[in-house]
Amino acid sequence: MLEHGGRLRAAAQRHGIALGDWLDLSTGIAPYGWSIPPLPLQAWARLPEPDDGLQAAARDYYAAPAVLPVAGSQAAIQALPRLRGRSRVGVVAPAYAEHAAAWRREGHQLLELGGAQVDDQLAQLDVLLLINPNNPSGQRFAPEQLLAWHARLAARGGWLVVDEAFIDCTPQFSLAGHSQLPGLIVLRSFGKFFGLAGIRLGFVLAEQRLLERLDELLGPWTVSGPTRALATLLLRDRPGQQAQRRRLLAGGERLGALLGAHGLPPSGGCALFHWCIEARAAQLHEFLARQGILTRLFTSPPSLRFGLPAGEAGWARLERALQAFKEHSA
């Protein structure tokens, strides 16, 4: 199993700090969200039904012609490599490691690329996979560039797979509205923007024929009835979405300024996280963990990803810890 952020229990055991005393900044999940409304009894008592309104609400929210709900975008990440024969797959790195692992597991040939290398290497690839904005670097790709890459791949039966897990605050960069194009596959995460990662929901946006193949591979009832009912309500809540978007964008700007003020100018990021390349990343990660603040450590390059604190107490706690590290390292 690959390492991921959010392993709070393991950190609590390692450092002897009670679970409730941690400030968890190790994920890119919104630290605040919606009040959970009561759900109808039939959502719990009946098997999920595909015509319950979820897909219509998702099509409206994403402005996409066709969508397939899945048990978190992770389910699609693992299944998509099984829909192609052996292929040459380029992954724009650094990237969420599960993508490369899933394609490698199914016997595909992997090539890690920097964003600037894609143009030169695209002719060698059958599949190009990237995250927009990238996780963890925050690098953003213009829709025009992505569509140009897609056209070159699709002309010879290739795929462009774009993971848009962190794009909800900047939907103008999304390819969702083009996802009916053959060979274009867009992955969207529900839990990160809505702050409800525990319900395990994501969507695949693509041409209907590919969605049908993926649906058949995954099997029936992959998304639970309560998840479907709750997501349908929130996908229709436009005022709530607008308020969440404003709050997250302001939080992202505040986090970037706070890190920069303490000698850690972000190397990249988005509304939900910032990424700092730092030679002392491992030392800072450990220093913060000893104070009950969990960040996401990367080793190549040495770097930390910081998510958003949930409230003013968390912001103040992070600021004190960063100042203490700055003084400790002077």
Side-chain angles (χ1 to χ4, degrees):
M1 297 291 289
L2 298 173
E3 290 287 329
H4 299 291
R7 298 192 63 200
L8 192 58
R9 293 182 185 276
Q13 292 176 359
R14 179 185 171 195
H15 293 278
I17 300 173
L19 200 62
D21 293 336
W22 283 83
L23 175 61
D24 185 5
L25 307 179
S26 67
T27 75
I29 299 165
Y32 29 72
W34 279 253
S35 298
I36 305 300
L39 299 178
L41 177 61
Q42 59 265 31
W44 301 92
R46 296 176 57 84
L47 286 171
E49 297 177 315
D51 57 352
D52 58 2
L54 173 61
Q55 280 159 281
R59 286 195 299 269
D60 288 344
Y61 175 77
Y62 295 120
V67 304
L68 176 68
V70 293
S73 51
Q74 180 64 39
I77 289 170
Q78 293 184 216
L80 283 171
R82 298 172 62 187
L83 296 183
R84 284 192 69 97
R86 182 174 172 81
S87 301
R88 295 162 297 177
V89 181
V91 179
V92 178
Y96 178 59
E98 291 286 351
H99 283 291
W103 287 90
R104 189 174 289 114
R105 188 182 304 122
E106 298 301 325
H108 300 280
Q109 179 183 344
L110 268 289
L111 176 65
E112 287 195 353
L113 303 169
Q117 297 175 287
V118 173
D119 268 323
D120 291 339
Q121 298 294 327
L122 198 62
Q124 302 179 39
L125 303 178
D126 303 304
V127 177
L128 175 65
L129 193 154
L130 56 88
I131 306 168
N132 192 34
N134 181 266
N135 172 25
S137 74
Q139 180 181 11
R140 186 175 286 124
F141 299 89
E144 297 78 12
Q145 177 66 81
L146 296 179
L147 290 172
W149 288 340
H150 163 261
R152 291 172 60 187
L153 288 161
R156 45 193 168 81
W159 285 0
L160 173 66
V161 182
V162 184
D163 183 345
E164 296 184 343
F166 297 98
I167 210 167
D168 292 71
C169 287
T170 51
Q172 67 272 25
F173 292 101
S174 174
L175 292 189
H178 301 275
S179 57
Q180 80 283 357
L181 295 173
L184 177 59
I185 302 167
V186 177
L187 306 181
R188 296 295 292 260
S189 169
F190 179 87
K192 293 179 178 65
F193 173 75
F194 288 91
L196 294 168
I199 70 173
R200 305 308 305 132
L201 177 63
F203 293 90
V204 183
L205 287 48
E207 62 171 330
Q208 188 63 44
R209 183 174 57 178
L210 186 140
L211 294 182
E212 290 170 359
R213 292 177 60 205
L214 182 59
D215 192 24
E216 183 176 0
L217 175 62
L218 294 173
W221 311 306
T222 59
V223 178
S224 74
T227 291
R228 296 181 69 98
L230 177 59
T232 301
L233 293 173
L234 300 191
L235 288 167
R236 290 173 173 164
D237 181 8
R238 295 305 173 89
Q241 295 159 16
Q242 291 170 1
Q244 179 79 330
R245 196 168 286 116
R246 287 193 298 268
R247 191 174 184 184
L248 290 172
L249 287 167
E253 291 182 6
R254 182 177 180 181
L255 179 60
L258 177 62
L259 293 168
H262 290 83
L264 295 165
S267 307
C270 63
L272 285 162
F273 64 82
H274 278 291
W275 183 56
C276 300
I277 298 176
E278 169 58 54
R280 303 164 299 167
Q283 297 95 306
L284 176 54
H285 176 77
E286 185 66 18
F287 182 91
L288 294 173
R290 289 198 297 267
Q291 300 181 61
I293 301 175
L294 187 60
T295 56
R296 180 75 166 94
L297 175 65
F298 297 88
T299 57
S300 182
S303 53
L304 287 181
R305 192 187 65 195
F306 293 81
L308 300 179
E312 289 304 318
W315 284 101
R317 185 174 172 186
L318 176 60
E319 184 169 13
R320 289 194 300 270
L322 292 174
Q323 181 62 33
F325 181 76
K326 188 175 180 180
E327 295 170 358
H328 173 79
S329 304

